[in-house]
Amino acid sequence: MQEPLITSPVPGQTLTVAPVAGSLRISGQPEIPSSKYYTLRYVLAATLADGESVIYYPAQSDDSEALFRGCRALGAQLAWDDAERRVLRIKGIGGRPPVQGPVTIEVGNAGAVLRLLLGLGALLPQVTFETDHPLSLGKRPNRELLEALASLGVAYEATGPEGCVPLTLHGGNLRGGHIRISGARSSQYLSALLFLCPLLTEPVEIEVVDMLKSQPLARATLEVLQEAGIVIEHDAALRHFKIQPNQRYQPREYVIPGDYPSAAALLAAASVATDPASELRLTRLRPGEEIGEALLSAFRAMGADLVRDGEQITLRGGRPLHGIELDGDVVIDCIPVLVAAACFAEGRSVFFNIESLHYKESDRIDDLCAELQRAGCDVEPRQDAIIVNGRPEGIEGGVTVDGHNDHRLLMALAIVGMRSRHGLTITGGEHIVKSYPHFFAVLRALGANLY
Ligand SMILES: O=C(O)C1=C[C@@H](OP(=O)(O)O)[C@@H](O)[C@H](O)C1
Ligand SMILES: C=C(OP(=O)(O)O)C(=O)O
């Protein structure tokens, strides 16, 4: 009768990661969550389709709930086939929301859900986006996307100069034309336009005016749009896009694969275990996903003993790790847990090209480094990088650290706490529900001393 360890979003929850007697063994074969990235994209494609789509194994998290609320607000009908919520049927809106009056969507703390729905919300006469996470999502910028939508004819009122939530769009009758969009802070702005523009009645050209961040996620958007029958012409560098009007999303059956950023947290935990009998086995991790392959390469470069056999990945812990230099943009959501692993590697690690981490649920450069330093790690924040001087002997701990409203900081801090001599108390644990509500319970079942 163990489970809980925080599966509800009640504010102010604290947990403790305590040292274990003897060596730390992290072993087991946990089920991992379904992909957040593909749940979002397939559920949106199904929402826009003409007819019924079936989604197998959608992610179950706070972000998914925000997504489902948004799709219902657009007019889609969502129904579960089973009590375990493994099969979701979606009756789509055929590209045209059957909505006349104003609607409000509560987007929780889900940035990608907000941005992609901002694009599609432009099809509605009036939509307001609200968040019950004013200190996290409420501080994240949407300005570039709102300006791009304005060039299609959308009017908006937003909070502050950066276009924060709460915000309201007045859309409906959109024109086409040439859109310029920045990709420097987020790829989600571009993804939002790519979902929206095929539904317009005039052709659109999109120009990305600077260096697009998180390119694998823009490519995931293009891949899903293609599966849904949408045609988008673009160059290999993802700077120019041509989109023909009046396209139709096709209904489909979609199977959601496992989630690499969640897997990254478990792999990082097993890689810093000190007992050589540690063995973590994860399944449902599709080969060929750009982010997944880059993540495995990063662990291998650190010296982790990691083997892939089809969709199964086995990592044997209790091996020494060494520092790496990594262009972190490709695995942007995995950086906090890779930094946590690097804290126990021999030598120096440099995670560079990660400036966009300033604009996530927390400031994942400054906030993460501040908490890791408090815990006794040797980390240095830079504007676009994190530098880690590893301490294979372990760290001191014995303090309270805060998760800064950020699920990925919580995962990183829990991993670091496992290798501290005096444990760590972590506040704000409820934010884990954003992507991986069972993370702490799984980590405990694998061998960590959490309570
Ligand atoms: O498109 C997506 O699904 C996402 C894009 C990324 O954001 P940025 O493009 O802002 O880096 C990523 O961090 C986020 O978790 C999900
Ligand atoms: C940055 C993240 O999410 P989002 O941008 O969707 O809020 C994340 O899941 O790490």
Side-chain angles (χ1 to χ4, degrees), residues 36 109-112 140 188 333 360-361 364 407-408 434:
K36 175 187 118 136
N109 205 15
R140 295 174 71 183
Q188 295 171 7
D333 288 340
K360 303 290 183 184
E361 289 84 323
R364 287 186 184 159
H407 55 143
R408 309 233 186 258
K434 176 179 157 89

Side-chain angles (χ1 to χ4, degrees), residues 331-389:
V331 288
I332 198 74
D333 288 340
C334 307
I335 295 300
V337 298
L338 286 170
V339 166
C343 285
F344 306 102
E346 193 74 57
R348 180 179 160 95
S349 293
V350 182
F351 298 92
F352 59 95
N353 192 18
I354 57 171
E355 191 161 4
S356 66
L357 286 186
H358 290 295
Y359 311 107
K360 303 290 183 184
E361 289 84 323
S362 68
D363 181 330
R364 287 186 184 159
I365 295 185
D366 294 351
D367 293 338
L368 176 63
C369 287
E371 298 307 321
L372 289 175
Q373 285 166 352
R374 213 187 304 282
C377 303
D378 183 349
V379 291
E380 295 167 33
R382 297 276 191 271
Q383 181 54 28
D384 64 350
I386 295 178
I387 297 167
V388 184
N389 292 301

Side-chain angles (χ1 to χ4, degrees), residues 36-314:
K36 175 187 118 136
Y37 307 144
Y38 284 96
T39 299
L40 170 59
R41 287 163 173 74
Y42 286 141
V43 167
L44 283 185
T47 289
L48 298 172
D50 213 344
E52 186 176 276
S53 299
V54 187
I55 318 260
Y56 294 94
Y57 312 115
Q60 305 195 13
S61 63
D62 248 32
D63 272 17
S64 295
E65 292 305 318
L67 170 66
F68 302 151
R69 284 195 295 276
C71 293
R72 289 192 169 109
L74 287 174
Q77 292 173 30
L78 279 66
W80 296 98
D81 257 12
D82 56 333
E84 295 75 35
R85 294 180 150 222
R86 293 191 188 260
V87 183
L88 177 62
R89 283 182 195 276
I90 301 186
K91 201 152 171 253
I93 60 174
R96 252 170 259 291
V99 179
Q100 308 290 322
V103 297
T104 297
I105 306 175
E106 164 57 65
V107 281
N109 205 15
V113 173
L114 166 65
R115 273 71 174 264
L116 271 63
L117 286 176
L118 273 176
L120 296 172
L123 297 168
L124 298 173
Q126 184 176 320
V127 53
T128 299
F129 292 90
E130 292 181 345
T131 177
D132 55 1
H133 288 72
L135 299 176
S136 186
L137 188 62
K139 290 177 19 189
R140 295 174 71 183
N142 304 296
R143 177 172 52 76
E144 296 92 322
L145 176 56
L146 292 172
E147 288 170 0
L149 293 174
S151 75
L152 296 175
V154 176
Y156 64 88
E157 300 108 40
T159 307
E162 287 294 347
C164 295
V165 172
L167 67 84
T168 298
L169 300 184
H170 307 271
N173 292 320
L174 305 180
R175 54 178 176 265
H178 187 96
I179 311 177
R180 291 160 59 82
I181 186 77
S182 167
R185 292 203 284 191
S186 177
S187 69
Q188 295 171 7
Y189 308 147
L190 173 64
S191 284
L193 296 172
L194 293 174
F195 265 93
L196 169 68
C197 292
L199 298 172
L200 302 188
T201 52
E202 294 176 5
V204 173
E205 288 193 20
I206 302 176
E207 182 190 348
V208 178
V209 293
D210 42 28
M211 212 41 215
L212 178 66
K213 296 294 182 192
S214 299
Q215 291 200 10
L217 289 156
R219 277 190 281 275
T221 298
L222 291 165
E223 170 201 325
V224 170
L225 290 174
Q226 192 178 19
E227 277 185 74
I230 298 294
V231 178
I232 293 185
E233 276 177 65
H234 62 88
D235 60 344
L238 300 183
R239 297 190 78 85
H240 296 279
F241 299 81
K242 277 192 185 161
I243 306 174
Q244 293 309 317
N246 300 312
Q247 297 195 48
R248 298 179 89 84
Y249 283 80
Q250 303 300 322
R252 293 266 186 272
E253 293 202 350
Y254 297 115
V255 180
I256 313 279
D259 188 66
Y260 274 103
S262 303
L266 299 179
L267 292 170
S271 74
V272 305
T274 53
D275 188 331
S278 296
E279 184 170 313
L280 177 72
R281 187 160 298 163
L282 305 176
T283 54
R284 269 188 348 117
L285 290 165
R286 239 182 5 182
E289 278 187 38
E290 204 178 341
I291 293 170
E293 297 303 335
L295 175 70
L296 300 194
S297 300
F299 276 113
R300 286 198 185 102
M302 290 178 96
D305 175 355
L306 186 149
V307 178
R308 179 196 272 288
D309 178 9
E311 296 203 342
Q312 178 173 289
I313 292 167
T314 305

